[in-house]
Amino acid sequence: MAPAAATVAAALALALAAALLCAASAAPNDDVSQPPVTLGLSYDFYKRSCPKAESIVRSFVQDAVRRDVGLAAGLLRLHFHDCFVQGCDASVLLDGSATGPGEKQAPPNLTLRPSAFKAINDIHHRLNNECGANIVSCSDVLALAARDSVVVSGGPSYRVPLGRRDSPSFATQQDVLTGLPPPTANVPALLAVLSKINLDAIDLVALSGGHTIGLGHCTSFEDRLFPRPDPTLNATFAGRLRQTCPAKGTDRRTPLDVRTPNQFDNKYYVNLVNREGLFTSDQDLFTNPATRSIVAKFAQSQKAFFDQFTSSMLQMGQIKVLTGSQGQIRSNCSARNNPAGTAGLPWSILDLEEADSLLVF
Ligand code: HEM
Ligand SMILES: *[C@@H]1O[C@H](CO)[C@@H](O)[C@H](O)[C@H]1NC(C)=O
Ligand SMILES: *[C@@H]1O[C@H](CO)[C@@H](O)[C@H](O)[C@H]1NC(C)=O
Ligand SMILES: *[C@@H]1O[C@H](CO)[C@@H](O)[C@H](O)[C@H]1NC(C)=O
């Protein structure tokens, strides 16, 4: 190439790069500010140690969700449960515990999908084969698999900062009950739980939009059907729910989003406006004046929902993360590497006082 042409080419490349940069910073979020990335996490964390990490997770999730659409919901919920209990440290994946039942045995766990636990272990196994054991953390796999599940279901994509490390300590049942609000919670109770992890009303409404995919058991909303229908339920909808759940204790499931059960879209909010939310924790977002206008906005604008969802997920995915030399990188996501001598670490301290009446599951 002649020098002049090379200069022109270089100038063009620069202009193009500048244009792309501008597009990249302006496109994803017009008015939603992005939360900062925690020190110790970065977007290219595995660039050298496991460059294919993200593509391995993505192709696994794509294939597996094609075979079982419900797996996307299972994976998204697993990441949420992980982050809300003791931080995004993969404690949700641990089998058993040091002293009696662990996080997996706590009531909310009982409805996590076995297929999602298996998928995480299978993905991690592939990563171990590709890059070596103890390179990619289980907590990062959870965060990536949740994002890819959203994307394959039709939702927005977003970049996931990586470098989380895995907990060497178990969460307790009490941690789970304290961290995860029940479906019977109303907005004040939900906000009380979320405020402890620095999430606000907008995050609550946006993250609850995860209920645009997946299923719930009758037992999670039967209090709204018996002895008589909750007046905030549309009567036609309540009648249909009673066909699925004819009596208390029915062991069946129904879609969380009655309009588009497997599509990640803003129809969840349209349901709420039409009084067709499944749980009290869903419907109260529209009933309560503190959150009503946010629901109305997301029902009207899928873009507004997607922009806020990606921002809130970015924040949720960084709750109390372990970085640097904290914690460990498990070689088996279901078990700690070194069970001996790990007691008494600061992040295993319980706050039993946080348990209150809303935690009856
Ligand atoms: C805000 C408080 C929340 C409450 C009270 C709540 C409660 C629940 C309950 C009770 C179920 C159904 C369990 C069952 O009966 O089988 C469920 C399912 C689900 N939740 Fe939530 N959730 C909340 C927040 C979230 C968040 C933040 C996300 C993700 C961003 C999420 C994603 C899901 C998904 C995808 C399912 C379906 C799981 C499946 O089909 O296997 N939830 N949630
Ligand atoms: C916790 O949930 C997972 C998935 O459903 C399951 O494999 C595990 O056995 C559960 N723990 C208990 C005690 O049920
Ligand atoms: C309840 O939903 C049905 C459609 O499923 C609709 O025809 C009816 O008008 C709704 N009722 C109220 C009170 O909004
Ligand atoms: C991983 O750990 C679990 C729980 O201790 C154990 O049951 C399982 O066999 C382990 N998997 C492998 C591949 O070692």
Side-chain angles (χ1 to χ4, degrees):
M1 205 186 274
T7 312
V8 170
L12 272 174
L14 261 179
L16 188 64
L20 281 173
L21 267 177
C22 289
S25 55
N29 280 315
D30 289 344
D31 44 14
V32 180
S33 67
Q34 292 290 313
V37 172
T38 305
L39 195 70
L41 299 184
S42 65
Y43 289 109
D44 59 358
F45 192 82
Y46 296 112
K47 191 169 149 187
R48 286 199 187 79
S49 60
C50 197
K52 287 194 194 150
E54 291 209 35
S55 62
I56 288 172
V57 179
R58 190 186 321 118
S59 67
F60 186 103
V61 171
Q62 280 171 351
D63 291 352
V65 171
R66 212 167 283 137
R67 287 192 300 273
D68 168 16
V69 71
L71 178 63
L75 287 169
L76 177 58
R77 188 172 182 224
L78 207 48
H79 178 48
F80 153 59
H81 277 220
D82 183 33
C83 294
F84 269 52
V85 180
Q86 189 178 271
C88 314
D89 61 358
S91 58
V92 71
L93 302 176
L94 290 173
D95 280 338
S97 78
T99 57
E103 188 167 346
K104 267 197 180 183
Q105 279 78 18
N109 168 62
L110 302 177
T111 52
L112 291 171
R113 292 195 196 222
S115 59
F117 286 99
K118 183 176 184 319
I120 296 295
N121 278 329
D122 290 349
I123 294 170
H124 195 246
H125 186 70
R126 278 197 199 178
L127 294 169
N128 285 355
N129 286 344
E130 173 77 19
C131 305
N134 315 101
I135 298 294
V136 181
S137 69
C138 300
S139 40
D140 277 347
V141 175
L142 282 168
L144 288 172
R147 186 267 314 270
D148 294 337
S149 294
V150 168
V151 174
V152 289
S153 304
S157 192
Y158 53 94
R159 294 194 305 155
V160 177
L162 300 168
R164 296 169 190 75
R165 290 168 65 88
D166 302 326
S167 164
S169 60
F170 290 98
T172 64
Q173 290 212 11
Q174 191 58 59
D175 292 339
V176 178
L177 293 176
T178 306
L180 294 170
T184 49
N186 61 13
V187 166
L190 293 165
L191 286 175
V193 174
L194 267 71
S195 67
K196 291 183 197 154
I197 43 178
N198 286 318
L199 297 175
D200 63 15
I202 298 173
D203 297 312
L204 169 64
V205 176
L207 290 173
S208 296
H211 290 176
T212 178
I213 55 174
L215 304 171
H217 284 80
C218 295
T219 47
S220 296
F221 56 86
E222 62 188 14
D223 62 302
R224 305 186 70 208
L225 301 177
F226 310 104
R228 65 193 63 79
D230 180 335
T232 64
L233 267 180
N234 170 298
T236 313
F237 182 58
R240 273 197 277 153
L241 291 178
R242 276 183 89 132
Q243 286 176 354
T244 308
C245 314
K248 272 200 148 189
T250 304
D251 185 18
R252 286 165 88 180
R253 293 184 296 174
T254 195
L256 301 181
D257 171 359
V258 63
R259 284 187 164 69
T260 51
N262 299 316
Q263 189 68 24
F264 197 103
D265 56 17
N266 69 335
K267 293 292 190 290
Y268 166 81
Y269 302 100
V270 176
N271 298 336
L272 301 188
V273 170
N274 286 285
R275 305 196 304 168
E276 293 170 340
L278 197 59
F279 305 139
T280 300
S281 63
D282 297 316
Q283 194 57 54
D284 203 46
L285 298 174
F286 189 66
T287 309
N288 193 300
T291 43
R292 185 185 182 103
S293 64
I294 311 170
V295 171
K297 180 172 158 193
F298 292 166
Q300 265 176 15
S301 166
Q302 180 160 281
K303 183 183 182 305
F305 165 46
F306 281 5
D307 287 351
Q308 185 58 52
F309 183 78
T310 57
S311 170
S312 296
M313 283 295 281
L314 198 56
Q315 194 163 339
M316 184 183 92
Q318 300 185 68
I319 295 172
K320 297 190 211 125
V321 287
L322 304 173
T323 58
S325 59
Q326 296 173 310
Q328 57 185 219
I329 294 177
R330 287 183 208 142
S331 48
N332 173 352
C333 290
S334 305
R336 301 176 296 164
N337 293 340
N338 175 22
T342 47
L345 292 165
W347 52 88
S348 67
I349 290 172
L350 300 185
D351 190 356
L352 291 168
E353 280 158 48
E354 287 177 358
D356 58 42
S357 57
L358 64 92
L359 304 168
V360 208
F361 230 87

